[in-house]
């Protein structure tokens, strides 16, 4: 990468990180506020809704955020990428909405929970992928920051003026999402004016190409999503609220990571596609220095100040979280490295092999957690998740480099 390219990456990452830190900070304040005002059990219900929405949201998104950058290279225009991704997400969202109505009226699913799920799903219609391929990540980061500030500010205001309820929280989330989407649509209005419905062949290709990535995402959700369902069955909603609050703390890594991916995804994909080991190692080194190292330092800070952090911020109901915080902080680094490994496998165009590995480890995790004796306690439950996830990362990384060397050797033979 040239000095100009490196300077642009640093500049982008600094702005995106600044906005992410502000967004994460206000989101933390909201999480703290909701956890304290709702209490562990009700906060556990709130977290349960987020888990369901997260699972359905993966289907609506269908990993299009990950592959949009790659599609923009192979497609004739950004317009075609937008047409396909937006049409798919909108169709999936409508189907999900109808499925929620069926669940409410036929299967007697709680209506408030269904509405909450739909409100969270609405965020899947964001145009982050379009801003990325248009090289306007910074613009999107400011829109997302505005959305966070609007949501957090309105929740804090109205929950102080009115009786606190989960339904009110989701209504405010819905309003903030709608405003954010309206701004995004207005900024990218030319793409909507030129919109044309994709052909059947493009739909089929998208379904085939992204299915493995969807399954990978589902497998990864086993760690913080499906595991919560098993956790609730073992320890109840009150403990689920504490467990979920710990996982919410790791959201800082996820928010930061979403911005990091937009900066490094194309450079890593380009380096791997070119097949030059020196360029690949250089891209990986930049990633580790500019994202993994800072996120690791943040994890250390939280670990060293865990007791003060919990005592100062949360009510007495969450006191036990202090003993678990060092475990949750470990997820910061794991999230960061897992994102890197996923980007590398996608760039190598070996999603199916990566999916197979991820799914096997996810199944091992869920089976292990299901049969894990409740008397191991919450810390034992978290340690089990960490151990299996670290093993998965090491295995996937090793397999990737072996396959990469084989691929580069084959390219060199063809070139000679």
């Amino acid at each position: 990468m040239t000095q100009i390219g490196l300077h642009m990456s640093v500049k982008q990452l600094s702005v995106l990180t600044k906005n992410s830190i502000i967004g994460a900070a206000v989101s933390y304040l909201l999480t703290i506020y909701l956890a304290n005002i709702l209490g562990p059990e009700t906060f556990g219900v709130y977290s349960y809704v987020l888990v369901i929405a997260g699972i359905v949201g993966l289907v609506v998104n269908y990993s299009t955020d990950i592959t949009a950058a790659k599609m923009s290279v192979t497609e004739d225009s950004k317009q075609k990428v937008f047409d396909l991704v937006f049409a798919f997400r909108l169709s999936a969202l409508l189907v999900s909405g109808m499925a929620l109505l069926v669940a409410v009226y036929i299967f007697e699913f709680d209506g408030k929970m269904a509405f909450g799920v739909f409100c969270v799903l609405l965020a899947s219609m964001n145009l982050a992928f379009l801003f990325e391929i248009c090289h306007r990540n910074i613009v999107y980061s400011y829109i997302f920051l505005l959305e966070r500030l609007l949501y957090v500010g309105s929740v804090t205001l109205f929950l102080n003026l009115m009786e606190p309820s989960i339904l009110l929280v989701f209504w405010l989330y819905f309003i903030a999402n709608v405003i954010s989407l309206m701004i995004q649509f207005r900024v990218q209005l030319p793409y909507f004016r030129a919109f044309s419905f994709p052909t059947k062949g493009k739909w089929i290709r998208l379904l085939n190409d992204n299915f493995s990535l969807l399954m990978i995402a589902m497998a990864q959700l086993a760690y913080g999503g499906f595991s919560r369902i098993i956790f609730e069955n073992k320890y109840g909603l009150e403990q689920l609220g504490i467990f979920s609050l710990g996982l919410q703390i790791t959201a800082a890594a996820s928010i930061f990571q979403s911005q990091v991916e937009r900066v490094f995804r194309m450079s890593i994909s380009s380096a791997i596609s070119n097949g030059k080991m020196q360029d690949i190692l250089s891209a990986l080194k930049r990633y580790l220095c500019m994202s993994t190292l800072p996120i690791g330092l943040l994890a250390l800070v939280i670990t060293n100040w865990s007791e003060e952090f919990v005592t100062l911020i949360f009510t007495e109901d969450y006191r036990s979280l202090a003993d678990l915080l060092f475990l949750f902080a470990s997820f910061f680094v794991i999230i960061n490295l897992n994102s890197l490994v996923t980007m590398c496998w996608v760039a190598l165009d070996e999603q199916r092999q990566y999916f197979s590995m991820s799914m096997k480890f996810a199944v091992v995790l869920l089976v292990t957690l299901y049969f894990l004796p409740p008397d191991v306690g919450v810390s034992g439950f978290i340690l089990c998740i960490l151990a299996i996830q670290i093993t998965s990362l090491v295995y996937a990384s090793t397999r990737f480099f072996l396959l990469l060397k084989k691929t580069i050797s084959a390219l060199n033979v063809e070139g000679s």
Side-chain angles (χ1 to χ4, degrees), residues 299-332:
L300 287 175
V301 170
I302 292 177
T303 298
N304 289 333
W305 295 85
S306 59
E307 188 72 34
E308 293 81 0
F309 180 82
V310 173
T311 303
L312 178 65
I313 296 176
F314 301 111
T315 62
E316 190 66 25
D317 294 333
Y318 297 97
R319 183 78 181 205
S320 59
L321 182 60
D323 298 328
L324 305 171
L325 210 54
F326 78 98
L327 295 174
F328 286 113
S330 302
F331 283 106
F332 283 34

Side-chain angles (χ1 to χ4, degrees), residues 1 7 30 157 164 188 198 206 235 240 273 324 331 356 389:
M1 181 181 284
H7 174 72
L30 177 66
L157 174 63
Q188 301 288 12
L206 177 66
Y235 303 105
L240 175 63
S273 297
L324 305 171
F331 283 106
S356 178
Q389 196 163 15

